[in-house]
Amino acid sequence: MGALNLDAFFHPRGIAVLGASGDPTKLGYGLANNLMRSNYPGAVHFVNPKGGELLGCKVYTSVLEVPEPVDLAVILIPALYVPDALRQCGARGIRAAIVGSGGFREVGPAGERLEAEMLAVAREHGIRLIGPNCIGLLDTHLPMDTTFLPPPGPTPGEVAFISHSGAICAAVIDWARGQGYGLSRLVSLGNQSDLGETDVLAPVAADPFTRVVALYLEGVKDGRRFVQEARRVTAHKAVIALKVGRFEAGRRAVASHTGALAGQESAFNAAFRRAGVLRAETSEEMFDQARALAWCPLPRGSRVAVLTNAGGPGVTAADALEAHGLQLAGFTAKTRSALDAILPPAASLGNPVDMLASAAPEQFAASLRVVLSDPGVDSVMVVYPTPPMFTAGAVAKAIIPVIHAAEKPVVVAVMGERMIQEAVEHLRAAHVPEYRFPERAAAALAALVARVELQKFARDEAVRPVGEMPHLAAQPLGLLTAYGIPLATLKLARDAVEAVVLAEELGYPVALKIAAAEISHKSDVGGVLLNLNDGEAVRRGFEAVVQRVRQARPDADIEGVYVQRMIDEGQEVIVGAIQDPQFGPLVMFGSGGTEVEGLKDVAFALAPLTRSDAEYLLENTWAGRKLSGFRDLPPADRDAVLDVLFRLAQLAADHPEIAEIEINPLRVLPSGKGAVAVDVRLA
Amino acid sequence: MGALNLDAFFHPRGIAVLGASGDPTKLGYGLANNLMRSNYPGAVHFVNPKGGELLGCKVYTSVLEVPEPVDLAVILIPALYVPDALRQCGARGIRAAIVGSGGFREVGPAGERLEAEMLAVAREHGIRLIGPNCIGLLDTHLPMDTTFLPPPGPTPGEVAFISHSGAICAAVIDWARGQGYGLSRLVSLGNQSDLGETDVLAPVAADPFTRVVALYLEGVKDGRRFVQEARRVTAHKAVIALKVGRFEAGRRAVASHTGALAGQESAFNAAFRRAGVLRAETSEEMFDQARALAWCPLPRGSRVAVLTNAGGPGVTAADALEAHGLQLAGFTAKTRSALDAILPPAASLGNPVDMLASAAPEQFAASLRVVLSDPGVDSVMVVYPTPPMFTAGAVAKAIIPVIHAAEKPVVVAVMGERMIQEAVEHLRAAHVPEYRFPERAAAALAALVARVELQKFARDEAVRPVGEMPHLAAQPLGLLTAYGIPLATLKLARDAVEAVVLAEELGYPVALKIAAAEISHKSDVGGVLLNLNDGEAVRRGFEAVVQRVRQARPDADIEGVYVQRMIDEGQEVIVGAIQDPQFGPLVMFGSGGTEVEGLKDVAFALAPLTRSDAEYLLENTWAGRKLSGFRDLPPADRDAVLDVLFRLAQLAADHPEIAEIEINPLRVLPSGKGAVAVDVRLA
C-alpha cells in the first residue's frame, strides 16, 4: 500500500463544512464556530441547503458551488443524506472527508447497510474517510478544529491523541486543560469505516510539534500492519497506548495449553513490545506518562536520586520507585561532601536525600544541582510538601532553572493541593512534569526508562534460523524434523507384541503413549504410561492404555500405541505457538508439564522471533531463568532452547494453517547437549 | 494493660500551650493562632517565660501558674528545655502532653539521650506523651487544633488520619481540602517515644464522627497487639492503611524456603488480613477509598452495574472492574424492559448500560433507579463525560437524590476536569464519592467489597487442633509427631549394610537422605538419592551420598544416612512456619519441591491459624487449588492439609524458640487417605 498521504486531512488548503448551522443548539453550529475560532489559516466554506450567511461567511446551498481551494469536507448531516453528499464531494473533486454524523453501524442493521453504501460511494470517488460517528480532528499548531465539542478546545502542546472513542476525546481535552498540558493533534476515529488507527498513526506522528502519540484503542484492525507502522514511528517518537476491552468473553475453543493461556492480551502485549509501544494500565497513567515523555530527556539508566525535605515522602518515593523496577542511585563521596556543605548536620545525605523541613529554595536548587552531576544518577525525583517557612512556589521557581540546564530527566512531586497551586503553575509553564503524589511521579520516571528499553525491542529484526524450511504442512513429527527441531525417537506399535519388540530395540525404561489423532491431552484420558522397565510391563501397559482410552473416548480412532525411550534428564519446559486472530503467529515459552495452566509461568512473543524477544521469554519466566542453573539443578543448554524457539516461531510463521502447535515437554539437557522434544501436539 | 484512656488528649477541658509566641514567623505563634481559630470550647492557657499577652489572652510565665481546667500540655519549645517543662507539667498535675519540638532521636545520639531523659521524666510523673517531633493533633468536631501548620486546617468530615510522618499530615490536610473531603481527627505520632499507632487507634476510632480510620505506617511497634486492637476497631469501623518502607534491605540470613520467601511484607499482609485492615498501595488510593468507605453503604456482593452515556467510558469501566476482581452484573428481563422504556432504541441495555450521548439528566436518574432496583446488582458506577447537550452539573443534581435514597453504594466517575467542576461540587456536598477516571472509581468499589470480605477474616477465631501439644522443643521429627503431624517412616543407618537391612524391612523403592544436623538443603550437596529399587543400589547409594556430602561440606558432622520408603503418590506441597520479628509466628503454604523460591506459589498467614486464613492459603495458591483435582490429577485430601496447617501453626505459636520449621514435601494422598510429611527442616 505504501505510505499513506493524508495531507488533505492534516494540511487542507480549504475545508467545506456540510451541515453548518446557524442554530446554536445544533452541533453543526458548534462545528462552524470551532473552525472559525480556531484561526484555521485556509479557506472555510459553509454548506447548508438553506443557504444564507453564518459567522460572517456566505453559506453555499451545495458543495458543488464551493470555490477553490477545498481539500477536505467535514460532514455533519443526517446519516441518510451522507452517501449523496459524498457523491457531490466526489464530483466537486474533494478526496478527503470527515463524517461526524452518527446513525450508521452503531445503531443496527439498517445503519450498517447505510455505512456500506457510504463506503462504496467513497471508494468509487477515491475519497478517504475518517468516521462516521466521530468527533473529528484538530491540530492546535496549524491550527484547525473540526470538532463540534463545546469550547474551549485544548491548548497547543506536544501530545497527540488518537482515539477509538469520541467521548474519551471530549474528556481528554478537558483533562489536558485541567492538568496543564497541551495537545498537538487529536483524531477521533469513530466507526473506522475506511481509515483506522494504523492509517493515521504515522501521519499524526509526522507533525514536528508532536513529541508523543497517545492512543486509546479498543482493538486493532490489522495487527501486523499496526506493529510495522508503529515500529517506524517509535524509532523517533514515543507512542503510549491504553488498550481497553481486555476482559471480553468469547474466546474460541482451544486444544493446547498454549491456546488456553494465550488471552487476547498476551498478543497485544507481545505486539506492543515488538512495536516499541508503551502500554498504560489506566487513562490517567497514559497522560501522566505522556507528559514526562514529551518534556523530559531520556535517562541513560534506571538509577534514581530522590531529593526531599521530609522523611515520610522520601520513604514513599523510594518504595514507589522500587515497585516500578527502578533503583535508588548510590552517591559518590564527592556528592555526599557537596551535599554536606549545603545542608544542616541532621540532614540525611544518603538516597533519599532528606534536606529537612528547614530547607530553603536555594538549598533545593543547590542540592538538585549536586545530585544531577553525580555520574551514578540517571534521573531525579524532587518530592516535597510545602515547607513550613517557604512557599511551594518559591521552591518551584528555584529548581526550574536547574532542571532546564540538566541533561537528565527530573520529575517533581509537589504534595498537597490548594497550597501548592502556584508551584504547579510555575512547573507547568516550564514544562516540568509535576504530580501530586510520589507514586505517580515514580510511574512517570519508569515510563522514561521503559521507553529506552523498548527501543531495543523495536529495533531488533526477526531471526531466520538456518536449515530446511519446507512450506508444506506435514505430520507434526515430520514438520518438526523438517524445521530442525530434535525429536525423541517415537515408534508406533499396532499391538502389544510389537510394542515389546520396539521397547527392546529402544532400550528401557520406555514410555507408552496412545496414538489417536483426536486426542490432544493424552494423559487426561489415561493414554500415557511412563517408566516401564521390562517387556511384561510393556505388554500389560499396551493393553491398559488402549482399554482406558477406549472407555474414556469411545469415539477416538486408535491407531496403536507409541513406544518411546524415557528421557528424564534435563529440565522440562513447554514451547508452543498459536495463530492469534489479530496478530497472527504467537510463540509461548514457560514451565511445562501437565500443570502449565495452573502455574501460568509462561510468556509470549510474536513469531518469527527477534533475539530480544527470545531473550525476553527466557528472562521473564522461571522456566527460562533456571536454565542457567539453580541450587542442585545444573545449567541446561540455554542456546538449544533459543534455537528451538527460533525454529518453532519460523514454523508457525510459515504455516498459518496450523492453529496450535505445542512441544510439551521439551527436555533441555545439560549445556552443550541440546534439547529434545518429547511430546508434540498439533491442532 | 487494658483499654487506654486517652481522654486528656481527645477531650481536654483545658490546654496549656508551652512556647506560645507573639512572633508570627515562629511555629509557636502558628500553634497559638490555630488553637484559637479552631473554636476549641475548653480553656486555652498560653505559657512563655516572657509573659505578656497574646491574641487577647494573658501569657503565663510558667505552666505552674496556669489555672484550672488544664488536662493537656502542648509543648513547642527548644528540645533541651523539654524535660524540665515536663517536670513542671507533672507538678501542675497535667497527665497528657504533645511534644511538637524536634531535636530528639532524629538528630543523632545526643538527641536520643535527651529523648530518653524526657521519657523518664514523663514516666516518673505519670504523663503520657504524643511525639516528640510531631505536628500535633486535631479534631474538627470537638473542635480543637493543636498543630502549627499554616491555615486553613481541614474541613470537618468522617475520615480520621493517624500518621508516622508529619510531612504527610500537612500534605493530607491540603489534599483533603482540594479533593473535597473532610477529616474528623488527625494525629501525628512523631518519634513515638511513648504512644504509638496501636495506642491511639481505638481512641481515635471511638469518635462518633469518624467512619473510617486511615493510617500512614512506617512499621508497627508490637505486631500482635496491633492486630488485636485493630480487630476490635474493624468490627465496627473501616480501617485502611498505607504501609511504606516495603523495600528496606537488611533481612536476616535464612535457612529455609519459608524464610527466604517471607519478606516483611508477607507478615504485614497476613497481619492486616487477620486484623480486617484494608491495605492501600498508594497514598492517593488510600484517600480515594477512604471517601467511599466513609460515604457509602456496604454492598452485599461484587456484582456491579455500569451506567454511562458513551461506549468508550463504559468499556474502560468494565475493564477496570474486572481487573479489581468485581463482576459486571447480569440484568433481569424486568430491568431491561424498564430501561427500554426510558432510553432510545439504539441504547445498549446490557451492562454497561450505554444511554447514548443524548441522555438527559432525567434519563440518568430514571435509569439509575432501575438498575439499583435489580436484585442482581450490588453496586453501581455512573460514568460520564459532559453530555453534548447538557451540563455535567445538571446530571449530578439529577442523580444525587436517587443515590441518597439507595441502600446500595453508588460511585460516580465524571470524566473531565474544568467543565465538570459544578458536578464535582454538587457530588462532594452530597457526600457522593466522585472520581475523574473510571479506573479509580472501580478501585473504590473494590475497597467496599474488600471491606465486607475482610470482616469475615477479622471475626474468625484461631483453631486449636486436638491432640497432645507438648510445650517442650524436641527433635524436629519428635515434635511433629507430638503435634499429630503424620510422618513418613525414616530410619537411620550408620553404615551401608545397615541401610540395606532397613531398606528390605521398609520395602522398595526407597530414598536415602544424609543425616547431618548442619545441612538444611540436603539435595544441594548431593545428600539425597531417590527411587532405589534393590539392595545393591542402596549399598552403592549409601557410599555415594556420604562421599558427596563429605566433599561438599567437610565441616558437617555426618551421623549416617536415613532410609525412607519412597512415597510418590499424591500431590507435593510445602508447609512452613517462621518467627517474624514484628508479628511472631507466620505460616506458609504453597507449591513445594526444590524450586519453591523460583515459582513463588506461596501464601502466608499468622499462626495460630483461623479457618478463614487456612482457606485463604489454599484458595490463593495453585498448590492449594489443585488439591481439589485438575485434569488427570485426582482430588487429594484437602482436609488433611488443613489439619496439618492448623497443627504446624499451633506448633510455631507454642515454640517461639523455633525460628524456622518446614515440611517439604508434604505428600497429600487421595481424598480420605491423609497427608504425610516426607522431609522436615528445622532451624
Side-chain angles (χ1 to χ4, degrees):
Chain A
M1 189 184 265
L4 212 51
N5 184 345
L6 299 184
D7 276 359
F9 287 98
F10 293 104
H11 297 286
R13 288 163 302 170
I15 300 175
V17 178
L18 283 68
S21 166
D23 177 353
T25 68
K26 292 262 171 80
L27 297 179
Y29 175 84
L31 165 53
N33 193 37
N34 281 350
L35 189 54
M36 294 304 281
R37 286 171 48 131
S38 71
N39 293 319
Y40 167 60
V44 174
H45 317 281
F46 295 139
V47 180
N48 189 309
K50 292 178 192 151
E53 197 171 289
L54 175 58
L55 302 168
C57 299
K58 172 177 162 64
V59 178
Y60 299 93
T61 55
S62 158
V63 71
L64 292 167
E65 296 164 20
V66 165
E68 286 298 318
V70 57
D71 293 326
L72 174 65
V74 182
I75 302 176
L76 198 61
I77 60 177
L80 263 180
Y81 306 121
V82 171
D84 263 349
L86 273 181
R87 263 182 211 107
Q88 296 191 351
C89 287
R92 176 63 192 77
I94 297 172
R95 298 289 170 260
I98 298 170
V99 183
S101 324
F104 292 90
R105 198 172 53 205
E106 77 280 6
V107 300
E112 199 165 340
R113 282 191 296 275
L114 194 59
E115 189 167 326
E117 184 192 342
M118 174 193 72
L119 183 61
V121 172
R123 292 265 152 86
E124 189 187 322
H125 291 273
I127 302 173
R128 302 307 305 250
L129 293 181
I130 289 180
N133 189 29
C134 73
I135 299 280
L137 178 158
L138 64 80
D139 182 323
T140 57
H141 296 282
L142 184 63
M144 157 174 83
D145 183 349
T146 74
T147 75
F148 49 78
L149 297 173
T155 50
E158 296 86 359
V159 179
F161 184 54
I162 298 172
S163 176
H164 282 164
S165 159
I168 300 276
C169 287
V172 161
I173 291 173
D174 200 22
W175 282 331
R177 273 208 167 260
Q179 294 176 15
Y181 61 91
L183 297 178
S184 52
R185 287 174 166 183
L186 177 143
V187 185
S188 162
L189 292 166
N191 294 2
Q192 302 185 88
S193 204
D194 176 22
L195 295 169
E197 70 292 326
T198 304
D199 305 303
V200 301
L201 179 56
V204 163
D207 168 38
F209 295 97
T210 295
R211 298 199 59 187
V212 180
V213 183
L215 303 171
Y216 170 89
L217 301 177
E218 293 177 355
V220 301
K221 267 175 149 179
D222 174 347
R224 288 293 169 145
R225 196 162 75 80
F226 174 80
V227 171
Q228 199 178 22
E229 285 288 306
R231 270 167 79 91
R232 240 180 268 155
V233 172
T234 61
H236 55 280
K237 291 193 180 173
V239 178
I240 183 164
L242 177 72
K243 155 71 177 63
V244 298
R246 297 186 173 214
F247 292 95
E248 270 165 71
R251 305 232 176 88
R252 67 196 171 85
V254 289
S256 68
H257 296 296
T258 311
L261 284 160
Q264 199 195 21
E265 295 312 300
S266 313
F268 270 99
N269 287 331
F272 286 158
R273 185 172 66 244
R274 177 73 62 88
V277 171
L278 288 152
R279 183 166 190 173
E281 292 299 312
T282 67
S283 331
E284 196 165 23
E285 205 179 280
M286 174 160 68
F287 291 102
D288 269 9
Q289 299 180 3
R291 253 181 310 158
L293 290 160
W295 292 344
C296 292
L298 289 178
R300 280 166 315 170
S302 55
R303 299 163 306 172
V304 186
V306 176
L307 193 65
T308 182
N309 60 347
V315 181
T316 309
D319 269 13
L321 289 169
E322 300 217 42
H324 281 96
L326 305 179
Q327 289 83 49
L328 282 178
F331 293 147
T332 62
K334 193 179 151 202
T335 297
R336 295 175 74 101
S337 76
L339 288 172
D340 198 25
I342 297 164
L343 301 172
S348 173
L349 308 181
N351 192 6
V353 181
D354 181 356
M355 302 180 291
L356 303 185
S358 55
E362 311 78 63
Q363 287 172 307
F364 270 87
S367 302
L368 178 57
R369 210 174 284 117
V370 168
V371 297
L372 275 167
S373 69
D374 189 307
V377 170
D378 299 316
S379 62
V380 181
M381 188 199 302
V382 180
V383 45
Y384 67 104
T386 301
M389 314 300 274
F390 304 93
T391 67
V395 173
K397 276 190 276 186
I399 60 175
I400 285 168
V402 184
I403 296 170
H404 281 175
E407 284 168 6
K408 298 175 182 179
V410 180
V411 298
V412 182
V414 202
M415 297 171 78
E417 189 83 36
R418 302 255 164 130
M419 290 182 64
I420 50 119
Q421 281 308 314
E422 190 205 347
V424 167
E425 280 162 27
H426 282 297
L427 292 165
R428 287 176 177 178
H431 283 193
V432 173
E434 43 67 42
Y435 306 92
R436 298 292 67 73
F437 295 87
E439 294 95 334
R440 285 169 65 180
L445 283 180
L448 297 178
V449 174
R451 163 82 179 124
V452 173
E453 285 171 2
L454 277 173
Q455 284 178 317
K456 180 186 75 181
F457 286 98
R459 274 196 297 258
D460 203 5
E461 294 298 329
V463 172
R464 176 135 197 119
V466 292
E468 191 193 351
M469 297 289 160
H471 277 257
L472 284 169
Q475 269 285 83
L477 304 179
L479 201 59
L480 288 192
T481 308
Y483 274 80
I485 298 172
L487 269 170
T489 313
L490 195 73
K491 301 205 163 176
L492 182 65
R494 304 280 169 178
D495 56 40
V497 175
E498 193 179 0
V500 176
V501 172
L502 291 172
E504 302 283 342
E505 250 177 63
L506 291 165
Y508 293 103
V510 297
L512 299 182
K513 296 176 180 176
I514 196 74
E518 297 92 337
I519 296 170
S520 50
H521 291 281
K522 303 185 191 71
S523 60
D524 285 10
V525 293
V528 177
L529 268 180
L530 303 176
N531 271 316
L532 305 179
N533 283 305
D534 53 45
E536 178 56 15
V538 170
R539 194 190 57 74
R540 274 187 287 133
F542 185 100
E543 307 295 351
V545 161
V546 169
Q547 196 190 338
R548 285 194 299 222
V549 174
R550 278 222 179 98
Q551 206 148 30
R553 293 282 301 271
D555 61 307
D557 182 16
I558 301 176
E559 292 172 68
V561 171
Y562 287 115
V563 185
Q564 189 173 39
R565 175 95 164 85
M566 280 298 294
I567 302 179
D568 52 10
E569 318 98 273
Q571 298 185 25
E572 201 178 80
V573 300
I574 187 170
V575 179
I578 58 153
Q579 300 292 333
D580 179 78
Q582 255 155 325
F583 291 98
L586 201 63
V587 169
M588 183 182 89
F589 172 82
S591 286
T594 53
E595 297 178 22
V596 187
E597 287 154 74
L599 290 173
K600 291 193 176 65
D601 175 46
V602 295
F604 290 85
L606 297 189
L609 272 175
T610 61
R611 188 156 288 276
S612 321
D613 266 346
E615 286 290 345
Y616 174 91
L617 295 178
L618 266 50
E619 284 159 17
N620 286 277
T621 51
W622 165 240
R625 289 190 298 272
K626 76 178 177 190
L627 290 175
S628 309
F630 171 76
R631 295 209 155 168
D632 61 329
L633 212 59
D637 199 332
R638 201 171 179 277
D639 289 342
V641 175
L642 287 172
D643 190 57
V644 169
L645 277 168
F646 290 129
R647 290 172 187 279
L648 188 76
Q650 189 65 51
L651 187 163
D654 291 345
H655 293 281
E657 75 282 7
I658 300 179
E660 307 178 35
I661 183 164
E662 180 171 280
I663 301 173
N664 182 24
L666 177 77
R667 280 273 173 193
V668 192
L669 305 174
S671 302
K673 299 278 169 68
V676 185
V678 175
D679 207 357
V680 185
R681 175 175 304 145
L682 188 135
Chain B
M1 188 185 270
L4 213 51
N5 184 345
L6 299 183
D7 276 358
F9 288 99
F10 293 105
H11 297 285
R13 287 161 303 168
I15 301 176
V17 178
L18 282 68
S21 167
D23 177 352
T25 69
K26 294 263 172 79
L27 297 178
Y29 175 83
L31 165 54
N33 193 37
N34 281 351
L35 190 54
M36 295 304 282
R37 285 173 47 130
S38 71
N39 292 319
Y40 167 61
V44 174
H45 316 281
F46 295 138
V47 179
N48 191 310
K50 292 177 193 152
E53 197 172 290
L54 176 58
L55 303 167
C57 300
K58 172 177 162 60
V59 177
Y60 299 94
T61 56
S62 157
V63 71
L64 292 166
E65 297 164 19
V66 165
E68 286 297 320
V70 56
D71 293 326
L72 173 65
V74 182
I75 302 178
L76 198 61
I77 60 177
L80 263 179
Y81 305 120
V82 171
D84 263 349
L86 272 182
R87 264 182 210 107
Q88 297 192 350
C89 287
R92 176 62 191 78
I94 296 173
R95 298 289 171 259
I98 298 169
V99 183
S101 324
F104 292 91
R105 197 171 54 204
E106 76 281 8
V107 299
E112 200 166 342
R113 282 190 296 275
L114 194 60
E115 188 166 327
E117 184 193 343
M118 174 194 71
L119 183 61
V121 172
R123 291 266 153 86
E124 188 186 321
H125 291 273
I127 303 174
R128 301 307 306 251
L129 291 181
I130 289 179
N133 188 29
C134 73
I135 299 281
L137 177 159
L138 64 80
D139 182 323
T140 58
H141 297 281
L142 185 63
M144 157 173 84
D145 183 349
T146 73
T147 76
F148 50 78
L149 297 173
T155 50
E158 295 87 359
V159 179
F161 184 54
I162 299 172
S163 177
H164 282 164
S165 160
I168 300 276
C169 287
V172 161
I173 291 172
D174 200 23
W175 281 332
R177 273 209 168 261
Q179 293 175 14
Y181 60 92
L183 297 178
S184 51
R185 287 175 166 182
L186 177 142
V187 185
S188 162
L189 292 166
N191 294 2
Q192 301 186 89
S193 204
D194 176 22
L195 296 169
E197 69 293 324
T198 304
D199 305 302
V200 301
L201 180 56
V204 163
D207 168 38
F209 296 97
T210 295
R211 298 201 57 188
V212 180
V213 183
L215 304 171
Y216 170 90
L217 301 177
E218 292 177 356
V220 301
K221 268 174 147 179
D222 174 347
R224 288 293 168 144
R225 198 163 73 81
F226 174 80
V227 171
Q228 200 178 22
E229 285 288 305
R231 272 167 78 92
R232 240 180 267 155
V233 171
T234 60
H236 55 282
K237 290 193 181 173
V239 177
I240 183 164
L242 178 71
K243 156 68 178 64
V244 298
R246 297 187 172 213
F247 293 94
E248 272 164 71
R251 306 232 177 90
R252 68 197 170 86
V254 288
S256 67
H257 295 296
T258 311
L261 284 161
Q264 199 195 22
E265 295 311 301
S266 313
F268 270 100
N269 287 330
F272 286 158
R273 186 172 65 246
R274 178 72 64 86
V277 171
L278 288 151
R279 181 166 191 174
E281 292 299 312
T282 68
S283 330
E284 196 165 23
E285 205 179 281
M286 175 161 65
F287 291 104
D288 269 10
Q289 299 180 4
R291 253 181 309 158
L293 289 161
W295 292 344
C296 291
L298 289 177
R300 282 166 313 171
S302 55
R303 300 162 305 172
V304 185
V306 176
L307 193 64
T308 182
N309 60 348
V315 181
T316 309
D319 269 13
L321 289 169
E322 299 218 42
H324 281 96
L326 306 179
Q327 289 83 47
L328 282 178
F331 293 147
T332 62
K334 191 179 153 202
T335 297
R336 296 176 73 101
S337 75
L339 289 172
D340 197 25
I342 297 164
L343 301 172
S348 173
L349 308 182
N351 191 6
V353 181
D354 181 356
M355 302 179 291
L356 304 185
S358 56
E362 312 78 61
Q363 286 172 307
F364 270 86
S367 301
L368 177 56
R369 209 174 285 116
V370 168
V371 297
L372 276 166
S373 69
D374 190 306
V377 170
D378 298 317
S379 62
V380 181
M381 187 200 302
V382 180
V383 45
Y384 66 103
T386 302
M389 315 299 274
F390 305 92
T391 67
V395 172
K397 276 190 277 187
I399 60 176
I400 285 169
V402 183
I403 296 171
H404 281 175
E407 284 168 5
K408 298 175 182 178
V410 180
V411 298
V412 182
V414 203
M415 298 171 77
E417 189 83 36
R418 302 254 164 131
M419 291 182 64
I420 50 118
Q421 281 309 314
E422 190 205 349
V424 166
E425 280 162 27
H426 283 297
L427 292 166
R428 286 176 177 178
H431 283 192
V432 174
E434 42 67 42
Y435 306 92
R436 298 291 68 70
F437 295 87
E439 294 95 334
R440 287 169 64 181
L445 283 180
L448 297 177
V449 173
R451 163 83 180 123
V452 173
E453 284 171 3
L454 277 172
Q455 284 178 318
K456 180 186 74 181
F457 286 97
R459 274 196 297 259
D460 203 4
E461 295 297 329
V463 171
R464 174 131 198 124
V466 292
E468 191 193 349
M469 298 289 159
H471 277 257
L472 285 169
Q475 270 283 81
L477 304 178
L479 201 58
L480 288 192
T481 308
Y483 273 80
I485 297 172
L487 269 169
T489 315
L490 195 72
K491 302 207 164 174
L492 181 66
R494 304 279 168 179
D495 56 39
V497 174
E498 194 180 359
V500 175
V501 172
L502 291 173
E504 302 283 342
E505 250 178 64
L506 291 165
Y508 293 103
V510 297
L512 299 183
K513 297 175 180 177
I514 195 74
E518 297 92 337
I519 296 170
S520 50
H521 291 279
K522 302 184 190 72
S523 60
D524 285 9
V525 292
V528 177
L529 268 180
L530 302 175
N531 271 316
L532 305 178
N533 282 306
D534 53 45
E536 179 55 15
V538 170
R539 195 190 55 73
R540 274 187 288 134
F542 186 100
E543 307 296 353
V545 160
V546 170
Q547 198 190 334
R548 285 194 299 223
V549 173
R550 279 224 179 96
Q551 207 149 28
R553 293 282 299 272
D555 61 306
D557 182 17
I558 300 176
E559 291 173 68
V561 171
Y562 287 115
V563 185
Q564 190 174 38
R565 175 94 164 86
M566 280 298 294
I567 302 178
D568 52 9
E569 319 98 272
Q571 298 185 26
E572 201 178 81
V573 300
I574 187 170
V575 179
I578 59 154
Q579 300 292 335
D580 179 78
Q582 255 157 322
F583 291 98
L586 202 62
V587 169
M588 183 182 89
F589 171 82
S591 286
T594 54
E595 296 178 25
V596 186
E597 285 153 77
L599 290 173
K600 290 193 177 65
D601 174 45
V602 295
F604 289 84
L606 298 189
L609 272 176
T610 61
R611 188 157 288 276
S612 320
D613 266 346
E615 287 289 346
Y616 174 91
L617 295 178
L618 267 50
E619 283 159 18
N620 285 276
T621 51
W622 165 239
R625 289 191 299 272
K626 77 178 175 189
L627 291 176
S628 310
F630 171 76
R631 293 209 156 165
D632 60 331
L633 211 59
D637 200 334
R638 201 171 180 277
D639 288 342
V641 176
L642 288 172
D643 190 57
V644 170
L645 278 167
F646 290 128
R647 290 173 186 280
L648 189 76
Q650 188 66 50
L651 187 162
D654 292 345
H655 293 281
E657 76 282 8
I658 301 179
E660 306 179 35
I661 183 164
E662 179 170 280
I663 301 172
N664 182 25
L666 176 77
R667 280 272 174 193
V668 192
L669 305 175
S671 301
K673 298 278 170 67
V676 185
V678 175
D679 207 357
V680 185
R681 174 174 306 143
L682 187 134

